[in-house]
Amino acid sequence: MSAHNFYLELCLNKAWENQLETLPNPAVGALVLDKHKSILSLESHKECGSPHAEVLALQKAYARLSGKKDILALRDSKEIHNYLLKHAKDAFKHTTLYVTLEPCSSKKQGKTPSCAKLLKSLRPKCVIIGAQDIDKSAKGGAKELEKSGISVIKAWKKESLKNLNNRAKELLLPFRILQTQKRFVLFKYASRLDGSINGGQISSKIAQSKMHNYRTKADFLLISGKTVREDSPSLDSRFATLKKRSPNVLILTHQTNFPKTAPLFDIPHREVSFIHELKDLQNTQGFIFCEGGAALLCALKECMDMLLVILNPSFDSCATLRMSLQEHFKLLHSTKVGDDLFLYLMPLRATREKQ
């Protein structure tokens, strides 16, 4: 493995740690090397409206290069930009920056300042980029850096980095599907090693907290009427580490006079709607987060863009329910969260459609 592949791999793995938590922004990872090729920082974008991955990496790298720790107390992106522009004029001239996505250009108008504009002022020796930005409002950062005299290596232009470029594009799939289709459907499915899916809570508390983070980013949480009747859930975000927000709820049911006795109906500042056919989803936009078991997964298999399987390292001889599904997937990424294994999967049908 070449050095470029190795460092971009680190950035990709870091970015996947915050996948979906950044929506409607893309998940991005960045890394800074010093002149001796030692890693100064490895960071990822955490949440929409917060500093981008490049800015967080530059922030931590500057603290290590200069020994000035006061910059680490800054949380606002504009404040970090302004601090670096004022204090770090020559600090990065021998450094190398790796980033999974092309830095946003100077024409970008958003909640945070342009990363390309900042980099043009700080002038790192080289910037290596995993994937090209196709967003009309932000693309063009690489060309800006090149015009300013900064060396830029684009993974999509290098045969030796083709695999990393493909993986960097896979990292962006939730963001790009949401952009192009105006709707991204994720199904979360928890299982034990023996395939059992009943018998109470399956995944760990850390995994549960991550799922509640996803709820804070979802426009709609889709659940079956059967689950509502049997489990009487609240579907809130009480275990989230991000700012708590309970999503609107869609209940898939054939029942027309559905009882509104579950706690989920009493959560303030949310809408609860009913859909009786899957075609009703066609008129629903945003990030749709589906939670449920085997029956709901089978019903939604043609609608989902991505499947997240949470595999808990346990067996349960008393559990009787197993999945029965004929479907093939591409493994996009796997990562350990607490004691659980998170498997991010894309249906091969969807993979072919998006090629």
mmCIF file of all heavy atoms in Angstrom, residues 298-339:
data_model
loop_
_atom_site.group_PDB
_atom_site.id
_atom_site.type_symbol
_atom_site.label_atom_id
_atom_site.label_comp_id
_atom_site.label_asym_id
_atom_site.label_seq_id
_atom_site.Cartn_x
_atom_site.Cartn_y
_atom_site.Cartn_z
ATOM 1 N N CYS A 298 -38.545 -6.804 5.029
ATOM 2 C CA CYS A 298 -38.989 -7.472 3.796
ATOM 3 C C CYS A 298 -39.922 -6.564 3.004
ATOM 4 O O CYS A 298 -39.857 -6.513 1.772
ATOM 5 C CB CYS A 298 -39.685 -8.786 4.130
ATOM 6 S SG CYS A 298 -38.566 -10.072 4.738
ATOM 7 N N ALA A 299 -40.780 -5.837 3.700
ATOM 8 C CA ALA A 299 -41.731 -4.957 3.030
ATOM 9 C C ALA A 299 -41.043 -3.778 2.356
ATOM 10 O O ALA A 299 -41.480 -3.309 1.299
ATOM 11 C CB ALA A 299 -42.764 -4.454 4.033
ATOM 12 N N LEU A 300 -39.944 -3.296 2.957
ATOM 13 C CA LEU A 300 -39.283 -2.085 2.473
ATOM 14 C C LEU A 300 -38.054 -2.353 1.619
ATOM 15 O O LEU A 300 -37.370 -1.408 1.220
ATOM 16 C CB LEU A 300 -38.875 -1.215 3.665
ATOM 17 C CG LEU A 300 -40.005 -0.630 4.514
ATOM 18 C CD1 LEU A 300 -39.422 0.100 5.727
ATOM 19 C CD2 LEU A 300 -40.860 0.317 3.694
ATOM 20 N N LYS A 301 -37.752 -3.606 1.325
ATOM 21 C CA LYS A 301 -36.475 -3.925 0.680
ATOM 22 C C LYS A 301 -36.296 -3.246 -0.674
ATOM 23 O O LYS A 301 -35.173 -2.948 -1.074
ATOM 24 C CB LYS A 301 -36.298 -5.439 0.546
ATOM 25 C CG LYS A 301 -37.232 -6.121 -0.437
ATOM 26 C CD LYS A 301 -36.862 -7.603 -0.565
ATOM 27 C CE LYS A 301 -37.709 -8.280 -1.638
ATOM 28 N NZ LYS A 301 -37.303 -9.686 -1.827
ATOM 29 N N GLU A 302 -37.395 -2.978 -1.387
ATOM 30 C CA GLU A 302 -37.287 -2.311 -2.682
ATOM 31 C C GLU A 302 -37.183 -0.798 -2.540
ATOM 32 O O GLU A 302 -36.868 -0.112 -3.511
ATOM 33 C CB GLU A 302 -38.494 -2.664 -3.560
ATOM 34 C CG GLU A 302 -38.611 -4.136 -3.902
ATOM 35 C CD GLU A 302 -37.409 -4.658 -4.683
ATOM 36 O OE1 GLU A 302 -36.871 -3.896 -5.517
ATOM 37 O OE2 GLU A 302 -37.011 -5.817 -4.448
ATOM 38 N N CYS A 303 -37.443 -0.293 -1.354
ATOM 39 C CA CYS A 303 -37.452 1.159 -1.134
ATOM 40 C C CYS A 303 -36.167 1.672 -0.500
ATOM 41 O O CYS A 303 -35.829 2.846 -0.640
ATOM 42 C CB CYS A 303 -38.619 1.557 -0.231
ATOM 43 S SG CYS A 303 -40.238 1.060 -0.831
ATOM 44 N N MET A 304 -35.462 0.808 0.225
ATOM 45 C CA MET A 304 -34.330 1.301 1.017
ATOM 46 C C MET A 304 -33.096 1.536 0.143
ATOM 47 O O MET A 304 -32.808 0.805 -0.799
ATOM 48 C CB MET A 304 -33.996 0.334 2.158
ATOM 49 C CG MET A 304 -33.501 -1.012 1.733
ATOM 50 S SD MET A 304 -33.186 -2.049 3.181
ATOM 51 C CE MET A 304 -32.822 -3.616 2.393
ATOM 52 N N ASP A 305 -32.369 2.596 0.486
ATOM 53 C CA ASP A 305 -31.116 2.920 -0.194
ATOM 54 C C ASP A 305 -29.925 2.272 0.496
ATOM 55 O O ASP A 305 -28.918 1.983 -0.138
ATOM 56 C CB ASP A 305 -30.915 4.436 -0.210
ATOM 57 C CG ASP A 305 -32.000 5.146 -1.001
ATOM 58 O OD1 ASP A 305 -32.110 4.893 -2.212
ATOM 59 O OD2 ASP A 305 -32.741 5.956 -0.402
ATOM 60 N N MET A 306 -30.035 2.058 1.802
ATOM 61 C CA MET A 306 -28.936 1.481 2.556
ATOM 62 C C MET A 306 -29.495 0.705 3.744
ATOM 63 O O MET A 306 -30.527 1.077 4.306
ATOM 64 C CB MET A 306 -27.976 2.570 3.040
ATOM 65 C CG MET A 306 -26.670 2.075 3.650
ATOM 66 S SD MET A 306 -25.532 3.436 4.115
ATOM 67 C CE MET A 306 -25.080 4.063 2.486
ATOM 68 N N LEU A 307 -28.801 -0.377 4.084
ATOM 69 C CA LEU A 307 -29.167 -1.196 5.242
ATOM 70 C C LEU A 307 -28.023 -1.156 6.249
ATOM 71 O O LEU A 307 -26.868 -1.386 5.889
ATOM 72 C CB LEU A 307 -29.431 -2.640 4.816
ATOM 73 C CG LEU A 307 -29.626 -3.674 5.933
ATOM 74 C CD1 LEU A 307 -30.900 -3.377 6.725
ATOM 75 C CD2 LEU A 307 -29.687 -5.090 5.355
ATOM 76 N N LEU A 308 -28.345 -0.833 7.483
ATOM 77 C CA LEU A 308 -27.368 -0.890 8.564
ATOM 78 C C LEU A 308 -27.710 -2.081 9.449
ATOM 79 O O LEU A 308 -28.749 -2.087 10.104
ATOM 80 C CB LEU A 308 -27.387 0.399 9.380
ATOM 81 C CG LEU A 308 -26.598 0.377 10.690
ATOM 82 C CD1 LEU A 308 -25.123 0.065 10.453
ATOM 83 C CD2 LEU A 308 -26.755 1.702 11.438
ATOM 84 N N VAL A 309 -26.838 -3.075 9.444
ATOM 85 C CA VAL A 309 -27.015 -4.229 10.312
ATOM 86 C C VAL A 309 -26.127 -4.040 11.541
ATOM 87 O O VAL A 309 -24.920 -3.829 11.421
ATOM 88 C CB VAL A 309 -26.640 -5.542 9.600
ATOM 89 C CG1 VAL A 309 -26.676 -6.715 10.585
ATOM 90 C CG2 VAL A 309 -27.607 -5.807 8.443
ATOM 91 N N ILE A 310 -26.730 -4.093 12.697
ATOM 92 C CA ILE A 310 -25.979 -4.032 13.958
ATOM 93 C C ILE A 310 -25.900 -5.450 14.489
ATOM 94 O O ILE A 310 -26.905 -6.033 14.899
ATOM 95 C CB ILE A 310 -26.660 -3.101 14.966
ATOM 96 C CG1 ILE A 310 -26.819 -1.696 14.379
ATOM 97 C CG2 ILE A 310 -25.862 -3.046 16.263
ATOM 98 C CD1 ILE A 310 -27.543 -0.726 15.289
ATOM 99 N N LEU A 311 -24.707 -6.006 14.480
ATOM 100 C CA LEU A 311 -24.507 -7.406 14.861
ATOM 101 C C LEU A 311 -23.927 -7.468 16.270
ATOM 102 O O LEU A 311 -22.813 -7.003 16.524
ATOM 103 C CB LEU A 311 -23.557 -8.083 13.872
ATOM 104 C CG LEU A 311 -23.412 -9.603 13.950
ATOM 105 C CD1 LEU A 311 -24.750 -10.292 13.731
ATOM 106 C CD2 LEU A 311 -22.392 -10.093 12.927
ATOM 107 N N ASN A 312 -24.718 -8.009 17.179
ATOM 108 C CA ASN A 312 -24.284 -8.119 18.570
ATOM 109 C C ASN A 312 -23.602 -9.473 18.798
ATOM 110 O O ASN A 312 -24.111 -10.507 18.360
ATOM 111 C CB ASN A 312 -25.482 -7.971 19.507
ATOM 112 C CG ASN A 312 -25.084 -7.989 20.963
ATOM 113 O OD1 ASN A 312 -25.116 -9.031 21.618
ATOM 114 N ND2 ASN A 312 -24.694 -6.838 21.483
ATOM 115 N N PRO A 313 -22.454 -9.505 19.487
ATOM 116 C CA PRO A 313 -21.711 -10.759 19.673
ATOM 117 C C PRO A 313 -22.323 -11.646 20.757
ATOM 118 O O PRO A 313 -21.746 -11.855 21.829
ATOM 119 C CB PRO A 313 -20.312 -10.273 20.060
ATOM 120 C CG PRO A 313 -20.557 -8.986 20.768
ATOM 121 C CD PRO A 313 -21.726 -8.352 20.052
ATOM 122 N N SER A 314 -23.510 -12.160 20.472
ATOM 123 C CA SER A 314 -24.196 -12.999 21.450
ATOM 124 C C SER A 314 -25.070 -14.027 20.743
ATOM 125 O O SER A 314 -25.388 -13.890 19.559
ATOM 126 C CB SER A 314 -25.063 -12.138 22.384
ATOM 127 O OG SER A 314 -26.083 -11.476 21.658
ATOM 128 N N PHE A 315 -25.450 -15.046 21.489
ATOM 129 C CA PHE A 315 -26.399 -16.055 21.036
ATOM 130 C C PHE A 315 -27.548 -16.098 22.041
ATOM 131 O O PHE A 315 -27.355 -15.789 23.215
ATOM 132 C CB PHE A 315 -25.751 -17.446 20.962
ATOM 133 C CG PHE A 315 -24.651 -17.567 19.942
ATOM 134 C CD1 PHE A 315 -23.344 -17.227 20.274
ATOM 135 C CD2 PHE A 315 -24.917 -18.037 18.663
ATOM 136 C CE1 PHE A 315 -22.324 -17.345 19.346
ATOM 137 C CE2 PHE A 315 -23.906 -18.163 17.738
ATOM 138 C CZ PHE A 315 -22.601 -17.819 18.071
ATOM 139 N N ASP A 316 -28.706 -16.474 21.578
ATOM 140 C CA ASP A 316 -29.856 -16.597 22.484
ATOM 141 C C ASP A 316 -30.653 -17.838 22.089
ATOM 142 O O ASP A 316 -31.407 -17.824 21.107
ATOM 143 C CB ASP A 316 -30.738 -15.349 22.401
ATOM 144 C CG ASP A 316 -31.830 -15.339 23.461
ATOM 145 O OD1 ASP A 316 -32.072 -16.396 24.077
ATOM 146 O OD2 ASP A 316 -32.448 -14.274 23.666
ATOM 147 N N SER A 317 -30.480 -18.892 22.848
ATOM 148 C CA SER A 317 -31.146 -20.153 22.521
ATOM 149 C C SER A 317 -32.654 -20.075 22.692
ATOM 150 O O SER A 317 -33.404 -20.885 22.133
ATOM 151 C CB SER A 317 -30.590 -21.283 23.403
ATOM 152 O OG SER A 317 -30.834 -21.004 24.771
ATOM 153 N N CYS A 318 -33.119 -19.072 23.464
ATOM 154 C CA CYS A 318 -34.551 -18.942 23.700
ATOM 155 C C CYS A 318 -35.257 -18.160 22.587
ATOM 156 O O CYS A 318 -36.476 -18.246 22.449
ATOM 157 C CB CYS A 318 -34.793 -18.241 25.038
ATOM 158 S SG CYS A 318 -34.184 -19.177 26.460
ATOM 159 N N ALA A 319 -34.493 -17.391 21.827
ATOM 160 C CA ALA A 319 -35.097 -16.591 20.765
ATOM 161 C C ALA A 319 -35.486 -17.491 19.597
ATOM 162 O O ALA A 319 -34.758 -18.418 19.237
ATOM 163 C CB ALA A 319 -34.120 -15.514 20.305
ATOM 164 N N THR A 320 -36.625 -17.196 19.007
ATOM 165 C CA THR A 320 -37.152 -18.078 17.954
ATOM 166 C C THR A 320 -37.260 -17.397 16.590
ATOM 167 O O THR A 320 -37.343 -18.076 15.574
ATOM 168 C CB THR A 320 -38.547 -18.577 18.345
ATOM 169 O OG1 THR A 320 -39.402 -17.452 18.582
ATOM 170 C CG2 THR A 320 -38.472 -19.423 19.607
ATOM 171 N N LEU A 321 -37.273 -16.068 16.548
ATOM 172 C CA LEU A 321 -37.504 -15.358 15.297
ATOM 173 C C LEU A 321 -36.201 -15.159 14.538
ATOM 174 O O LEU A 321 -35.207 -14.679 15.096
ATOM 175 C CB LEU A 321 -38.165 -14.006 15.570
ATOM 176 C CG LEU A 321 -38.602 -13.188 14.352
ATOM 177 C CD1 LEU A 321 -39.627 -13.967 13.524
ATOM 178 C CD2 LEU A 321 -39.179 -11.853 14.794
ATOM 179 N N ARG A 322 -36.181 -15.519 13.263
ATOM 180 C CA ARG A 322 -35.016 -15.347 12.392
ATOM 181 C C ARG A 322 -35.456 -14.616 11.121
ATOM 182 O O ARG A 322 -36.625 -14.640 10.744
ATOM 183 C CB ARG A 322 -34.400 -16.700 11.998
ATOM 184 C CG ARG A 322 -33.987 -17.602 13.168
ATOM 185 C CD ARG A 322 -32.755 -17.057 13.883
ATOM 186 N NE ARG A 322 -32.183 -18.033 14.799
ATOM 187 C CZ ARG A 322 -32.580 -18.232 16.033
ATOM 188 N NH1 ARG A 322 -33.613 -17.551 16.508
ATOM 189 N NH2 ARG A 322 -31.986 -19.119 16.814
ATOM 190 N N MET A 323 -34.495 -14.006 10.452
ATOM 191 C CA MET A 323 -34.791 -13.323 9.198
ATOM 192 C C MET A 323 -34.957 -14.325 8.072
ATOM 193 O O MET A 323 -34.225 -15.314 7.987
ATOM 194 C CB MET A 323 -33.656 -12.346 8.864
ATOM 195 C CG MET A 323 -33.678 -11.797 7.455
ATOM 196 S SD MET A 323 -35.233 -11.004 6.996
ATOM 197 C CE MET A 323 -35.187 -9.580 8.058
ATOM 198 N N SER A 324 -35.918 -14.054 7.187
ATOM 199 C CA SER A 324 -36.101 -14.846 5.974
ATOM 200 C C SER A 324 -36.205 -13.866 4.819
ATOM 201 O O SER A 324 -37.259 -13.279 4.574
ATOM 202 C CB SER A 324 -37.369 -15.703 6.076
ATOM 203 O OG SER A 324 -37.553 -16.442 4.892
ATOM 204 N N LEU A 325 -35.098 -13.658 4.130
ATOM 205 C CA LEU A 325 -35.032 -12.637 3.084
ATOM 206 C C LEU A 325 -34.100 -13.082 1.976
ATOM 207 O O LEU A 325 -33.006 -13.584 2.249
ATOM 208 C CB LEU A 325 -34.525 -11.310 3.677
ATOM 209 C CG LEU A 325 -34.317 -10.146 2.714
ATOM 210 C CD1 LEU A 325 -35.659 -9.655 2.181
ATOM 211 C CD2 LEU A 325 -33.568 -9.011 3.412
ATOM 212 N N GLN A 326 -34.520 -12.920 0.733
ATOM 213 C CA GLN A 326 -33.679 -13.231 -0.421
ATOM 214 C C GLN A 326 -33.174 -11.917 -1.000
ATOM 215 O O GLN A 326 -33.892 -11.231 -1.720
ATOM 216 C CB GLN A 326 -34.485 -14.008 -1.470
ATOM 217 C CG GLN A 326 -33.663 -14.490 -2.668
ATOM 218 C CD GLN A 326 -32.671 -15.587 -2.294
ATOM 219 O OE1 GLN A 326 -32.958 -16.416 -1.428
ATOM 220 N NE2 GLN A 326 -31.521 -15.585 -2.933
ATOM 221 N N GLU A 327 -31.966 -11.538 -0.674
ATOM 222 C CA GLU A 327 -31.418 -10.258 -1.120
ATOM 223 C C GLU A 327 -29.901 -10.310 -1.013
ATOM 224 O O GLU A 327 -29.350 -10.973 -0.117
ATOM 225 C CB GLU A 327 -31.972 -9.118 -0.262
ATOM 226 C CG GLU A 327 -31.650 -7.723 -0.748
ATOM 227 C CD GLU A 327 -32.377 -7.328 -2.005
ATOM 228 O OE1 GLU A 327 -33.597 -7.590 -2.103
ATOM 229 O OE2 GLU A 327 -31.737 -6.767 -2.909
ATOM 230 N N HIS A 328 -29.216 -9.599 -1.907
ATOM 231 C CA HIS A 328 -27.760 -9.531 -1.870
ATOM 232 C C HIS A 328 -27.330 -8.080 -1.708
ATOM 233 O O HIS A 328 -27.967 -7.161 -2.243
ATOM 234 C CB HIS A 328 -27.154 -10.128 -3.141
ATOM 235 C CG HIS A 328 -27.378 -11.605 -3.284
ATOM 236 N ND1 HIS A 328 -28.526 -12.124 -3.828
ATOM 237 C CD2 HIS A 328 -26.608 -12.666 -2.915
ATOM 238 C CE1 HIS A 328 -28.463 -13.449 -3.825
ATOM 239 N NE2 HIS A 328 -27.313 -13.802 -3.262
ATOM 240 N N PHE A 329 -26.231 -7.899 -0.976
ATOM 241 C CA PHE A 329 -25.766 -6.559 -0.649
ATOM 242 C C PHE A 329 -24.279 -6.398 -0.930
ATOM 243 O O PHE A 329 -23.529 -7.381 -0.972
ATOM 244 C CB PHE A 329 -26.012 -6.259 0.840
ATOM 245 C CG PHE A 329 -27.447 -6.280 1.240
ATOM 246 C CD1 PHE A 329 -28.068 -7.454 1.638
ATOM 247 C CD2 PHE A 329 -28.200 -5.111 1.219
ATOM 248 C CE1 PHE A 329 -29.398 -7.474 2.013
ATOM 249 C CE2 PHE A 329 -29.539 -5.123 1.590
ATOM 250 C CZ PHE A 329 -30.130 -6.302 1.984
ATOM 251 N N LYS A 330 -23.881 -5.152 -1.098
ATOM 252 C CA LYS A 330 -22.465 -4.800 -1.143
ATOM 253 C C LYS A 330 -22.087 -4.194 0.200
ATOM 254 O O LYS A 330 -22.764 -3.277 0.694
ATOM 255 C CB LYS A 330 -22.176 -3.792 -2.252
ATOM 256 C CG LYS A 330 -20.708 -3.362 -2.298
ATOM 257 C CD LYS A 330 -20.436 -2.368 -3.410
ATOM 258 C CE LYS A 330 -18.954 -1.990 -3.420
ATOM 259 N NZ LYS A 330 -18.643 -1.011 -4.496
ATOM 260 N N LEU A 331 -21.014 -4.687 0.800
ATOM 261 C CA LEU A 331 -20.540 -4.137 2.067
ATOM 262 C C LEU A 331 -19.762 -2.856 1.786
ATOM 263 O O LEU A 331 -18.719 -2.878 1.151
ATOM 264 C CB LEU A 331 -19.646 -5.144 2.791
ATOM 265 C CG LEU A 331 -19.009 -4.668 4.100
ATOM 266 C CD1 LEU A 331 -20.063 -4.315 5.129
ATOM 267 C CD2 LEU A 331 -18.054 -5.726 4.648
ATOM 268 N N LEU A 332 -20.287 -1.738 2.263
ATOM 269 C CA LEU A 332 -19.628 -0.452 2.077
ATOM 270 C C LEU A 332 -18.586 -0.192 3.159
ATOM 271 O O LEU A 332 -17.513 0.331 2.879
ATOM 272 C CB LEU A 332 -20.662 0.679 2.085
ATOM 273 C CG LEU A 332 -21.750 0.617 1.014
ATOM 274 C CD1 LEU A 332 -22.748 1.749 1.227
ATOM 275 C CD2 LEU A 332 -21.139 0.693 -0.379
ATOM 276 N N HIS A 333 -18.934 -0.566 4.389
ATOM 277 C CA HIS A 333 -18.008 -0.301 5.499
ATOM 278 C C HIS A 333 -18.450 -1.103 6.715
ATOM 279 O O HIS A 333 -19.644 -1.376 6.896
ATOM 280 C CB HIS A 333 -18.011 1.192 5.848
ATOM 281 C CG HIS A 333 -16.997 1.569 6.885
ATOM 282 N ND1 HIS A 333 -15.645 1.639 6.615
ATOM 283 C CD2 HIS A 333 -17.128 1.887 8.194
ATOM 284 C CE1 HIS A 333 -15.004 1.994 7.704
ATOM 285 N NE2 HIS A 333 -15.869 2.146 8.681
ATOM 286 N N SER A 334 -17.500 -1.461 7.540
ATOM 287 C CA SER A 334 -17.794 -2.094 8.829
ATOM 288 C C SER A 334 -16.974 -1.407 9.905
ATOM 289 O O SER A 334 -15.827 -1.010 9.667
ATOM 290 C CB SER A 334 -17.467 -3.592 8.796
ATOM 291 O OG SER A 334 -16.093 -3.809 8.573
ATOM 292 N N THR A 335 -17.570 -1.251 11.066
ATOM 293 C CA THR A 335 -16.858 -0.601 12.163
ATOM 294 C C THR A 335 -17.400 -1.112 13.492
ATOM 295 O O THR A 335 -18.566 -1.499 13.597
ATOM 296 C CB THR A 335 -17.003 0.933 12.077
ATOM 297 O OG1 THR A 335 -16.160 1.558 13.040
ATOM 298 C CG2 THR A 335 -18.442 1.367 12.346
ATOM 299 N N LYS A 336 -16.563 -1.110 14.501
ATOM 300 C CA LYS A 336 -16.949 -1.566 15.831
ATOM 301 C C LYS A 336 -17.458 -0.387 16.641
ATOM 302 O O LYS A 336 -16.799 0.646 16.744
ATOM 303 C CB LYS A 336 -15.746 -2.217 16.521
ATOM 304 C CG LYS A 336 -16.046 -2.893 17.850
ATOM 305 C CD LYS A 336 -14.816 -3.653 18.337
ATOM 306 C CE LYS A 336 -15.070 -4.328 19.686
ATOM 307 N NZ LYS A 336 -15.146 -3.356 20.792
ATOM 308 N N VAL A 337 -18.640 -0.518 17.188
ATOM 309 C CA VAL A 337 -19.235 0.504 18.053
ATOM 310 C C VAL A 337 -19.580 -0.170 19.371
ATOM 311 O O VAL A 337 -20.503 -0.973 19.449
ATOM 312 C CB VAL A 337 -20.494 1.127 17.416
ATOM 313 C CG1 VAL A 337 -21.117 2.147 18.361
ATOM 314 C CG2 VAL A 337 -20.159 1.777 16.084
ATOM 315 N N GLY A 338 -18.821 0.129 20.405
ATOM 316 C CA GLY A 338 -18.987 -0.597 21.656
ATOM 317 C C GLY A 338 -18.662 -2.058 21.428
ATOM 318 O O GLY A 338 -17.605 -2.396 20.889
ATOM 319 N N ASP A 339 -19.562 -2.938 21.820
ATOM 320 C CA ASP A 339 -19.371 -4.367 21.588
ATOM 321 C C ASP A 339 -19.984 -4.848 20.282
ATOM 322 O O ASP A 339 -19.863 -6.021 19.926
ATOM 323 C CB ASP A 339 -19.991 -5.163 22.743
ATOM 324 C CG ASP A 339 -19.237 -4.967 24.046
ATOM 325 O OD1 ASP A 339 -18.014 -4.777 23.983
ATOM 326 O OD2 ASP A 339 -19.887 -4.988 25.117
#
